[in-house]
Amino acid sequence: MRHTKLLAKIVAGVLTTATLFTMGTPVFAAAVPGEGLYFTETDTSSLLPVSSSQETTSGDVSSTPDVPAASSESSSASSSTQNSSTTSETSVPPAQSVPVSSSSPASSSPSSSPSSSTTASTPQPNTKQSEPDNVHTTASSTGVRGFVERLYTLVMDRPGEVAGVNFWVNEITSGRQTAAQVIHFFFNGPEFATKNTTNNQYLTILYRTMMNREPDAAGLANWLEHLNNQVSRNFVLHEFVILPEFTGICAQYGVTRGDFPLTEERDQNPTITAFVNRLYLNCMGRPGDAAGLNNWASLLRKGQTAASVVDFFFNSPEFTNKNLSNLEFIKAAYRTLFGRQADKAGYEYWLSILNSGVSKNYILSQFINSPEFIDACNVAGINRGGLALTENRDKNLGITGFVNQLYLAIFNRTGDANGLNYNTGLLLNKQSALSIISGMLAAPEFVGRNLSEQDVVKIMYRAIFNREADPSGLAHYTGLLGRGVSPLYVLSILGASAEFAAACQKLGIVPGHITLTQARDQNIDVTDVAMNAYRALFNRTADVNGLNALCTKLLTKNKQTTIDALFALTTAAEFTGRNLNANNYVAAVFTTLCGRAPTEAEIASWVTLLSADNAANRKSLFYLLTNSQPCYAYLGPKLGIPTFNQQERGIDVSKHNKAINWAQVAAQGYTFAMIRVVSTAEGEKAPSVDPYFYQNVRGARAAGLKVGAYIYSYARTNEYASAEVTTALNAIKAIEKEGYRFEYPIAMDIEEINRAPYWNQVALLTLAIIDQRGYYPCLYSFANGFKNTFDMNALAGYDLWVAHWVSNPETTTMSYPGAIWQHSNSGSVIGVNGRCDLNISYKDFAKVIREAGKNNLK
């Protein structure tokens, strides 16, 4: 009995259930059914009403003619005789208004009827009989005639004309029609249809006609609920026909009760019809139409799954065009699948799941798989089935929630279906989480938000850690962005954290790493220099393209390339358009090269070097400033180019200096020596080793000086140039066998004016040979030669040894930038015979050469 009562409640759509949630998982528990419609335990398929206090009908209707419908309706559709025969031939009644068509106004498909023909109605009386005081005894006659007259009075609300009454009396007495068939004709004919009765009125007439009494409130509500669930009126009429009360009335008048078949699908299983109508009401916002109800009821009865029908309704254009919010969707799902309103805990739980980014089909699938819906389908005898979830976002709630978290943090919106499916698919296929995040940060939608650096950091914390940034972290990473690195630089650091790794491990996704391809992200010190230059020269923050272009040049760690790149900024229209005076020009350039604003004294000192304030002199001033101590103190450590160190002093010597007391040279603070290895003696046709080369190398190294070598070239041809280099390297290799190593470059000294046309080709050839044979090359010449004769673009990357002779190197800088400055050709050094050349080195060659793997240094 319990299951049949539950089924009745499901039909009525009033089953009350409570939804409990434990640890985030819904547990559906059915509550005790309330008052309502009940069914006999012997038959649960027809859902026929019985008394709540008398669940098994006694069958003795004559003894209880006045029992209310809710307490005296019994049996079920299966106990009804739906197979009553109808005669194949019937008489046509005389012209009157009694219906002879079985088409019901509440049904879209005709029921079987004794006759399919119709006759014209005879004119109706102009007067209407007054309704008798007792509607239950309106017919004055007894027997069959009394039964027919009673139908005219109660159903048509008029007395029957003689011909009509006679016709129906003859039909019943001849056995061609049963009482049920005649009543079916009366209630489905055109005359009754013109009354346009409401369901309430219709049921009232049924009670009076079929039960000989007024409807009681409970019974009326019960049958109204059936009709509201969209069974046809013939279903209710049929249920009244087989009630004991009507059987008693038929016995009273001596007529055969009989039956009539129900042909519409919606009348075969009211539980299924109620389920389908609930879909119409909650998805379409309207009751189901007869055609639709019959179609879906038929499919469900034939085994189509409830899940597929739910899927169709919830994904139909009529439903999706409503554009329900997630909350309203959840509430609609509760009403539709459970037949009840959503409890607060339930809809809050499912709303959180839906808001995480899964599809609405995911929610439907969970409802379909719930015990509450399983129980309802079992009671109704419906094949429940299930939904196949094909979208990537429905395959792993954790990953979908993570991707949706990224959308909320980065784009300030929930993820769209395409985006969620695409990105969750990538993560499910083991693409890294950081690659997804970096792609979103590079998207025009994010870039177009033009967020501040601080806001970008806040967003990264929300995206990666799903939390707000702590104050110290926010300050630190905002500062990094202010120094010019890209957001990806910060992302690479945050993405390498243990916190992010743990979160990814929990989700089963790959954290990955960021490959930084932009020049500004390669070295924060280099980026600092570039950003400082933009602020000093253009009074603005560097744009990304300009910053990357400048950083690319600064990363070469070549002083000449570095200085040329910075100088190029001063020739840009943006800078020249500022029309700075001499003082402001010096201030801007000094700040660019030295990393700080100059003092007033420094500005005055450098401005005095401008003999005329023009572009040429400004360029000369710029390059002079690059050789200043403040410049090297700033650029040297940041860019890895030689720092200014006055103690790194050296000499260069040849056979002209004869024997040298190297101990005395070292005692005066000289730390390196460039020793001539090859020259060409007057009249010689081939290069030769300097006769003092080996002696000078041994002596200098014994005194603790670092040594390099230079080749004084007379070459006019590639062959002679190659011979010079070969002779020199052979001599170097010979002394290396004694254990000596060269911590300074092997330089080509190209300065013979009469060979100037060959300088470029000789330099390019010989420097390349030196490099290819494992030694560190360097080019020596005069400053004017570098300015006017050599192709410096072709020689870019080679260190320069610049001859620019001045009287006071402490206050003067060389006129062309180089790694070694030969500032005098007439130096006086104790221990050296005659005058010798004096030099300053700006580079830690021993370190550079060792790191380059040259000169056999280890």
Side-chain angles (χ1 to χ4, degrees), residues 560 623-624 627 750-751 753 759 779-790 792 800-806 813-818 820-823:
Q560 180 179 334
Y623 278 98
L624 287 172
N627 290 318
I750 301 176
E751 59 180 275
I753 298 300
W759 283 7
L779 178 61
Y780 170 93
S781 193
F782 294 103
N784 285 335
F786 290 124
K787 292 178 181 178
N788 304 317
T789 305
F790 287 103
M792 298 312 299
L800 304 181
W801 180 7
V802 180
H804 172 215
W805 302 327
V806 297
T813 56
M814 58 180 168
S815 59
Y816 196 86
I820 304 174
W821 176 21
Q822 187 186 79
H823 59 84

Side-chain angles (χ1 to χ4, degrees), residues 285-306:
R286 59 179 175 84
D289 56 280
L293 288 163
N294 283 326
N295 173 64
W296 292 112
S298 174
L299 292 174
L300 288 169
R301 285 203 324 121
K302 291 175 181 177
Q304 183 155 332
T305 65

Side-chain angles (χ1 to χ4, degrees), residues 212-508:
N212 206 34
R213 66 177 174 85
E214 294 298 317
D216 60 285
L220 183 63
N222 168 41
W223 292 111
L224 277 174
E225 192 163 26
H226 273 289
L227 291 175
N228 289 338
N229 283 332
Q230 297 303 301
V231 294
S232 74
R233 285 183 171 184
N234 275 340
F235 173 84
V236 178
L237 177 62
H238 179 272
E239 301 305 301
F240 272 73
V241 163
I242 62 177
L243 288 174
E245 285 88 339
F246 183 65
T247 302
I249 291 173
C250 290
Q252 178 184 344
Y253 284 95
V255 297
T256 302
R257 190 198 71 180
D259 200 355
F260 63 86
L262 293 173
T263 58
E264 289 195 75
E265 283 289 341
R266 59 176 169 159
D267 294 335
Q268 306 308 311
N269 187 324
T271 310
I272 293 177
T273 302
F275 171 73
V276 174
N277 191 56
R278 207 161 68 210
L279 285 170
Y280 272 98
L281 289 171
N282 291 293
C283 293
M284 310 307 186
R286 59 179 175 84
D289 56 280
L293 288 163
N294 283 326
N295 173 64
W296 292 112
S298 174
L299 292 174
L300 288 169
R301 285 203 324 121
K302 291 175 181 177
Q304 183 155 332
T305 65
S308 66
V309 177
V310 169
D311 180 42
F312 180 88
F313 272 79
F314 273 90
N315 288 285
S316 67
E318 190 171 351
F319 179 76
T320 56
N321 287 342
K322 292 182 177 183
N323 295 316
L324 296 181
S325 67
N326 285 350
L327 176 59
E328 289 305 317
F329 177 87
I330 296 296
K331 290 181 177 180
Y334 265 89
R335 292 192 299 268
T336 306
L337 277 79
F338 299 154
R340 63 178 176 85
Q341 296 298 326
D343 57 284
K344 186 174 184 294
Y347 75 68
E348 285 180 350
Y349 171 78
W350 291 112
L351 182 61
S352 69
I353 297 296
L354 189 52
N355 286 342
S356 74
V358 297
S359 74
K360 291 176 177 177
N361 269 0
Y362 178 87
I363 302 299
L364 290 179
S365 73
Q366 299 305 301
F367 276 46
I368 287 169
N369 292 329
S370 70
E372 189 170 353
F373 189 70
I374 291 172
D375 194 23
C377 289
N378 289 340
V379 170
I382 301 174
N383 181 9
R384 177 177 61 90
L387 288 185
L389 297 174
T390 58
E391 294 190 70
N392 286 329
R393 58 177 169 158
D394 294 334
K395 295 177 180 179
N396 186 307
L397 292 189
I399 292 177
T400 302
F402 172 74
V403 173
N404 197 53
Q405 166 192 317
L406 298 183
Y407 272 91
L408 289 169
I410 297 173
F411 300 134
N412 197 30
R413 64 174 175 86
T414 56
D416 56 283
N418 290 337
L420 287 168
N421 281 321
Y422 176 74
N423 287 302
T424 54
L426 293 177
L427 291 173
L428 287 168
N429 288 315
K430 301 305 179 182
Q431 186 156 328
S432 73
L434 285 177
S435 68
I436 305 295
I437 298 172
S438 63
M440 289 184 173
L441 292 177
E445 183 178 354
F446 176 73
V447 175
R449 294 180 68 185
N450 294 316
L451 298 171
S452 68
E453 291 160 351
Q454 187 178 75
D455 284 339
V456 169
V457 174
K458 289 180 178 179
I459 283 172
M460 286 188 184
Y461 266 82
R462 294 178 194 136
I464 296 175
F465 303 135
N466 195 26
R467 64 175 173 85
E468 294 301 319
D470 55 279
S472 61
L474 181 61
H476 174 70
Y477 292 112
T478 301
L480 286 181
L481 291 176
R483 293 171 68 181
V485 296
S486 75
L488 289 183
Y489 183 91
V490 174
L491 179 64
S492 68
I493 300 173
L494 296 177
S497 67
E499 182 178 355
F500 185 62
C504 290
Q505 183 178 24
K506 184 176 180 181
L507 292 173

Side-chain angles (χ1 to χ4, degrees), residues 513-737:
H513 66 277
I514 298 295
T515 300
L516 299 172
T517 58
Q518 295 189 62
R520 59 174 171 158
D521 293 333
Q522 304 308 308
N523 186 307
I524 190 70
D525 286 332
V526 169
T527 306
D528 274 340
V529 171
M531 284 291 284
N532 175 62
Y534 266 81
R535 293 189 182 103
L537 298 176
F538 301 141
N539 197 29
R540 67 173 174 86
T541 301
D543 57 282
V544 173
N545 290 337
L547 185 60
N548 278 323
L550 181 57
C551 286
T552 298
K553 295 177 181 178
L554 299 183
L555 285 166
T556 62
K557 295 187 178 181
N558 179 277
K559 181 183 175 184
Q560 180 179 334
T561 303
T562 297
I563 299 306
D564 286 348
L566 293 173
F567 175 74
L569 297 179
T570 68
T571 65
E574 184 177 356
F575 179 72
T576 58
R578 295 180 67 187
N579 295 315
L580 300 179
N581 59 29
N583 281 24
N584 289 336
Y585 174 83
V586 168
V589 170
F590 188 97
T591 302
T592 299
L593 297 175
C594 302
R596 62 172 176 83
T599 64
E600 292 184 5
E602 286 172 324
I603 291 177
S605 173
W606 286 100
V607 167
T608 58
L609 296 177
L610 286 173
S611 56
D613 188 8
N614 54 46
N617 286 335
R618 285 191 171 191
K619 179 179 180 181
S620 297
L621 179 70
F622 183 95
Y623 278 98
L624 287 172
L625 190 53
T626 63
N627 290 318
S628 69
Q629 186 173 4
C631 175
Y632 277 98
Y634 169 63
L635 293 182
K638 286 186 174 293
L639 303 184
I641 58 177
T643 58
F644 184 89
N645 184 350
Q646 212 165 6
Q647 299 304 313
E648 193 70 13
R649 295 184 299 154
I651 62 174
D652 61 271
V653 296
S654 67
K655 65 180 182 180
H656 300 294
N657 301 110
K658 301 187 184 300
I660 298 172
N661 187 329
W662 288 102
Q664 290 180 335
V665 173
Q668 296 169 76
Y670 292 98
T671 57
F672 74 93
M674 295 297 291
I675 300 170
R676 187 167 74 170
V677 58
V678 163
S679 181
T680 303
E682 190 64 33
E684 291 181 343
K685 294 183 178 179
S688 61
V689 176
D690 187 293
Y692 283 86
F693 171 69
Y694 298 109
Q695 179 180 332
N696 282 333
V697 170
R698 295 184 187 106
R701 291 298 292 145
L705 277 72
K706 302 169 188 174
V707 297
Y710 69 93
I711 303 166
Y712 193 99
S713 178
Y714 287 92
R716 294 183 181 180
T717 65
N718 288 350
E719 292 77 12
Y720 198 88
S722 180
E724 288 177 333
V725 174
T726 299
T727 301
L729 294 182
N730 287 340
I732 291 170
K733 287 181 180 298
I735 200 167
E736 281 181 336
K737 291 179 180 180

Side-chain angles (χ1 to χ4, degrees), residues 150-194:
R150 181 175 181 276
L151 290 183
Y152 271 95
T153 302
L154 296 177
V155 178
M156 302 305 181
D157 197 23
R158 67 176 176 83
E161 70 279 3
V162 174
V165 172
N166 288 339
F167 171 79
W168 290 114
V169 169
N170 185 46
E171 288 294 294
I172 293 172
T173 57
S174 67
R176 287 191 293 268
Q177 303 276 358
T178 65
Q181 290 170 312
V182 173
I183 284 177
H184 182 270
F185 270 64
F186 270 71
F187 276 99
N188 286 279
E191 181 177 349
F192 187 78
T194 61

